[in-house]
């Protein structure tokens, strides 16, 4: 039995040329012509439909899922320009994929979660290993989505979910999700991986709290209105200059994030779960989050810390190695927060950390990932949403 996997990257400014180059390189590395399945990640500087159509043509219209990202990650590569295309192709007689798409996250994330849950319930097999989930990074409410999805899953057979929230550029207008020949926004695409194989995964965030514990005093769903009885935007002025909040929201979220106390069953991972502040509302002083929030919740302002991130990278590498032993992964997927890229580190620092991780896990492995607006990875038997986190998953 054999699994052939290849990865190709291109940075050509022409979308058709970039897609052709990336797909051809991936097929060549795998040594195949007719893949069984394709992952596609692309930056938003391209016409998304042209990129997708071209990759589909080059890969013989093989089943495909993917999304836009704020940059791509591959071996010795962490490109955060507007022009990068990454393709991963598979041909295997031991692994198989099924996949799908659903839209309408902004209108009703629970309804979308139910639709995906029904589809998975019909497709899941005894040898299903994992699910990959790629969602709109602007409209995704993970808590509502996963709560409904879980009603269709057998709690006695945990299904680990890996993935990320699709990214874009700093304007935060649109992200894109791909399924076969469709490009959508405000949706999710998913793929179930089944067959003969084992999983290894690890994740780590690199944020530390600043200041003291605070309390949520007014909220609704995933909209946070008040902390300590003050509008959230007023609270942020205690940490940032007012002009930063008013004129450069991207700078705000690059410098600050929210830390929620991790529930007891997750504290073996970290004391805090980190959350990204997606959008602000000047009229109400509120912000939106990718998760639900309740009155009385303890909250901390947090920031990224280079030493904690560097230590986390070493921890991820060691955890993966402990799981796989002397075996070589068939492929690796990496979902890494855009807030851990060039907005936080100089290029030399960023590449040093990536090189350290890849050399530890294996530098010759087919490896692809993207910079996300949020990461999905299991902790202690629970599928969780993360921010400012790296999630690494290997199949061996």
């Amino acid at each position: 039995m054999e699994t052939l996997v290849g990865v190709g990257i291109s940075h050509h400014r022409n979308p058709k040329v970039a897609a052709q180059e990336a797909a051809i390189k991936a097929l060549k590395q795998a040594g195949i012509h007719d893949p069984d399945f394709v992952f596609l990640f692309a930056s938003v500087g391209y016409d998304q439909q042209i990129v997708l159509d071209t990759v589909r043509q080059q890969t013989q219209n093989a089943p495909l899922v993917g999304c836009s990202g704020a940059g791509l990650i591959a071996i010795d590569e962490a490109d955060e320009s507007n022009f990068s295309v990454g393709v991963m192709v598979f041909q295997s007689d031991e692994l198989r994929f099924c996949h799908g798409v659903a839209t309408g996250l902004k209108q009703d994330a629970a309804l979308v979660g139910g639709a995906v849950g029904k589809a998975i319930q019909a497709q899941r097999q005894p040898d299903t290993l994992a699910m990959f989930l790629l969602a709109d990074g602007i409209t995704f409410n993970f808590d509502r989505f996963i709560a409904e999805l879980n009603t269709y899953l057998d709690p006695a057979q945990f299904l680990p979910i890996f993935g990320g929230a699709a990214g874009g550029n700093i304007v935060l207008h649109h992200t894109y999700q791909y399924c076969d020949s469709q490009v959508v926004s405000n949706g999710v695409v998913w793929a179930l991986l089944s067959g003969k194989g084992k999983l290894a995964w690890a994740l780590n965030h690199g944020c530390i709290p600043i200041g003291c514990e605070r309390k949520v005093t007014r909220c609704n769903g995933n909209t946070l209105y008040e902390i300590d009885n003050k509008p959230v935007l007023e609270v942020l002025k205690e940490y940032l200059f007012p002009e930063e909040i008013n004129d450069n929201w991207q700078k705000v979220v690059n410098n600050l994030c929210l830390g929620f106390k991790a529930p007891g069953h997750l504290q073996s991972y970290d004391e805090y779960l980190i959350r990204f502040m997606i959008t602000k509302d000047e009229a109400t002083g509120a912000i939106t989050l990718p998760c639900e929030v309740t009155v009385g919740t303890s909250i901390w302002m947090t920031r990224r810390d280079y030493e904690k991130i560097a230590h986390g990278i070493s921890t991820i590498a060691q955890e993966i190695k402990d799981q796989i032993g002397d075996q070589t992964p068939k492929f690796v997927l990496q979902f890494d927060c855009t807030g851990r890229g060039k907005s936080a580190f100089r290029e030399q620092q960023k590449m040093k950390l990536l090189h350290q991780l890849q050399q530890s896990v294996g530098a010759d492995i087919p490896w692809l990932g993207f910079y996300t607006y949020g990461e999905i990875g299991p902790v202690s038997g629970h599928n969780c949403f993360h921010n400012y986190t790296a999630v690494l998953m290997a199949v061996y």
Side-chain angles (χ1 to χ4, degrees), residues 32 39 44 46 51 63 71 85 90 100-101 108-109 116 136 154 205 212 216 226 253 313 350 355 360 364:
I32 62 176
F39 280 113
V44 295
Y46 299 112
V51 169
V85 175
F90 299 82
V101 59
D108 194 333
V116 174
D136 188 298
D154 182 354
H205 75 71
C212 59
V216 174
E226 292 182 359
V253 299
I313 291 294
K350 182 180 73 172
H355 183 75
S360 297
D364 297 324

Coordinates of all heavy atoms in Angstrom, one line a residue, residues 32 39 44 46 51 63 71 85 90 100-101 108-109 116 136 154 205 212 216 226 253 313 350 355 360 364:
I32 N 3.0 11.8 -9.9 CA 1.6 11.3 -10.3 C 1.1 12.3 -11.4 O 1.6 13.4 -11.6 CB 0.6 11.2 -9.2 CG1 0.4 12.6 -8.5 CG2 1.1 10.2 -8.1 CD1 -0.6 12.6 -7.4
F39 N -5.5 19.8 -1.9 CA -5.7 20.9 -1.0 C -5.1 22.1 -1.8 O -4.0 22.0 -2.3 CB -5.0 20.8 0.3 CG -5.7 20.0 1.3 CD1 -5.2 18.7 1.7 CD2 -6.8 20.4 1.9 CE1 -5.8 18.0 2.7 CE2 -7.5 19.7 2.9 CZ -7.0 18.5 3.3
V44 N -4.9 36.6 -1.5 CA -6.0 37.2 -2.1 C -5.7 38.3 -3.1 O -6.5 39.0 -3.6 CB -6.9 37.9 -1.0 CG1 -7.5 36.8 -0.1 CG2 -6.1 38.9 -0.2
Y46 N -4.9 37.5 -6.0 CA -5.3 36.9 -7.3 C -6.8 36.9 -7.5 O -7.5 37.0 -6.5 CB -4.8 35.4 -7.3 CG -3.3 35.2 -7.2 CD1 -2.8 34.5 -6.1 CD2 -2.5 35.5 -8.2 CE1 -1.5 34.3 -6.0 CE2 -1.1 35.3 -8.1 CZ -0.6 34.6 -7.0 OH 0.7 34.4 -6.9
V51 N -7.5 31.1 -10.3 CA -6.6 30.2 -9.6 C -7.2 28.8 -9.5 O -6.6 27.8 -9.8 CB -6.2 30.8 -8.2 CG1 -5.4 29.7 -7.4 CG2 -5.3 32.0 -8.4
P63 N -11.2 15.9 -6.8 CA -11.9 16.6 -5.7 C -10.9 17.5 -4.9 O -9.7 17.2 -4.7 CB -12.3 15.4 -4.8 CG -12.4 14.2 -5.7 CD -11.3 14.5 -6.8
G71 N -1.2 34.2 3.9 CA 0.1 33.8 3.5 C 0.2 32.3 3.5 O -0.7 31.6 4.0
V85 N 0.5 30.8 -4.1 CA -0.4 29.7 -4.3 C 0.3 28.5 -3.9 O 1.4 28.2 -4.2 CB -0.8 29.6 -5.8 CG1 -1.7 28.3 -6.0 CG2 -1.5 30.8 -6.3
F90 N -2.7 14.3 -3.6 CA -2.6 13.0 -3.0 C -3.0 11.9 -4.1 O -3.9 12.1 -4.9 CB -3.6 12.9 -1.9 CG -3.4 13.8 -0.7 CD1 -3.9 15.1 -0.8 CD2 -2.7 13.4 0.4 CE1 -3.7 16.0 0.3 CE2 -2.5 14.3 1.5 CZ -3.0 15.5 1.4
G100 N -17.1 18.5 1.3 CA -18.4 19.3 1.0 C -18.2 20.7 1.4 O -17.2 21.2 1.9
V101 N -19.3 21.5 1.2 CA -19.3 22.9 1.4 C -20.7 23.3 2.0 O -21.7 22.7 1.6 CB -19.0 23.7 0.1 CG1 -20.0 23.4 -1.0 CG2 -18.9 25.2 0.4
D108 N -26.6 32.3 10.2 CA -26.9 31.3 11.3 C -25.8 30.2 11.3 O -25.8 29.2 10.6 CB -28.2 30.6 11.0 CG -28.8 29.8 12.2 OD1 -27.9 29.3 13.0 OD2 -30.0 29.7 12.3
A109 N -24.8 30.4 12.2 CA -23.7 29.5 12.2 C -24.1 28.1 12.7 O -23.6 27.1 12.3 CB -22.6 30.0 13.2
V116 N -23.4 20.6 8.0 CA -22.2 19.9 7.9 C -22.2 18.6 8.7 O -21.8 17.5 8.3 CB -21.0 20.7 8.4 CG1 -19.7 19.9 8.4 CG2 -20.8 22.0 7.5
D136 N -14.9 30.7 6.8 CA -14.7 32.2 6.7 C -14.2 32.8 7.9 O -14.7 32.6 9.0 CB -16.1 32.8 6.3 CG -15.9 34.2 5.9 OD1 -15.5 35.1 6.7 OD2 -16.3 34.6 4.7
D154 N -21.0 10.9 17.2 CA -21.0 10.0 18.3 C -20.0 10.4 19.4 O -18.8 10.3 19.1 CB -20.7 8.6 17.8 CG -20.8 7.5 18.9 OD1 -21.0 7.8 20.0 OD2 -20.7 6.3 18.5
H205 N 0.0 28.3 21.8 CA 0.0 29.8 21.6 C 1.1 30.4 22.3 O 1.8 29.8 23.1 CB -1.4 30.3 22.0 CG -1.6 30.5 23.5 ND1 -0.9 31.4 24.2 CD2 -2.4 29.9 24.3 CE1 -1.3 31.4 25.5 NE2 -2.2 30.4 25.6
C212 N -4.4 43.1 35.1 CA -5.1 42.2 36.0 C -6.3 41.6 35.4 O -6.7 41.9 34.3 CB -5.5 43.0 37.3 SG -6.5 44.4 36.9
V216 N -16.3 40.4 32.1 CA -17.3 40.8 31.1 C -18.6 41.2 31.8 O -19.2 40.4 32.6 CB -17.6 39.6 30.1 CG1 -18.7 39.9 29.2 CG2 -16.3 39.2 29.4
E226 N -19.2 45.4 27.0 CA -18.6 46.0 28.1 C -17.7 45.1 28.9 O -18.0 43.9 29.1 CB -19.7 46.6 29.0 CG -20.5 47.7 28.4 CD -21.6 48.3 29.4 OE1 -21.7 47.8 30.5 OE2 -22.3 49.2 29.0
V253 N -5.3 44.9 16.8 CA -5.4 43.4 17.0 C -4.1 42.8 16.8 O -3.9 41.6 17.2 CB -6.5 42.8 16.0 CG1 -7.9 43.4 16.3 CG2 -6.1 43.1 14.6
I313 N 7.2 26.4 20.0 CA 7.7 25.7 18.8 C 8.5 24.5 19.2 O 8.3 23.4 18.6 CB 8.5 26.6 17.9 CG1 7.6 27.7 17.3 CG2 9.2 25.9 16.8 CD1 6.6 27.2 16.3
K350 N 11.2 35.0 12.2 CA 10.1 34.1 11.7 C 10.7 32.8 11.1 O 10.2 31.7 11.4 CB 9.2 34.9 10.8 CG 8.0 34.1 10.3 CD 7.1 34.9 9.3 CE 7.8 35.1 8.0 NZ 6.9 35.7 7.0
H355 N 12.2 27.1 10.6 CA 13.3 26.2 10.3 C 13.5 25.2 11.4 O 13.7 24.0 11.2 CB 14.6 26.9 9.9 CG 15.7 26.0 9.5 ND1 15.8 25.5 8.3 CD2 16.8 25.7 10.2 CE1 16.9 24.8 8.2 NE2 17.6 24.9 9.3
S360 N 13.1 19.7 13.1 CA 12.9 18.8 14.2 C 11.9 17.7 13.8 O 12.0 16.5 14.1 CB 12.3 19.5 15.4 OG 13.2 20.4 15.9
D364 N 12.1 16.8 4.8 CA 11.8 16.3 3.5 C 10.4 15.8 3.4 O 10.1 15.1 2.4 CB 12.8 15.2 3.2 CG 14.2 15.6 3.1 OD1 14.5 16.8 2.6 OD2 15.1 14.9 3.5

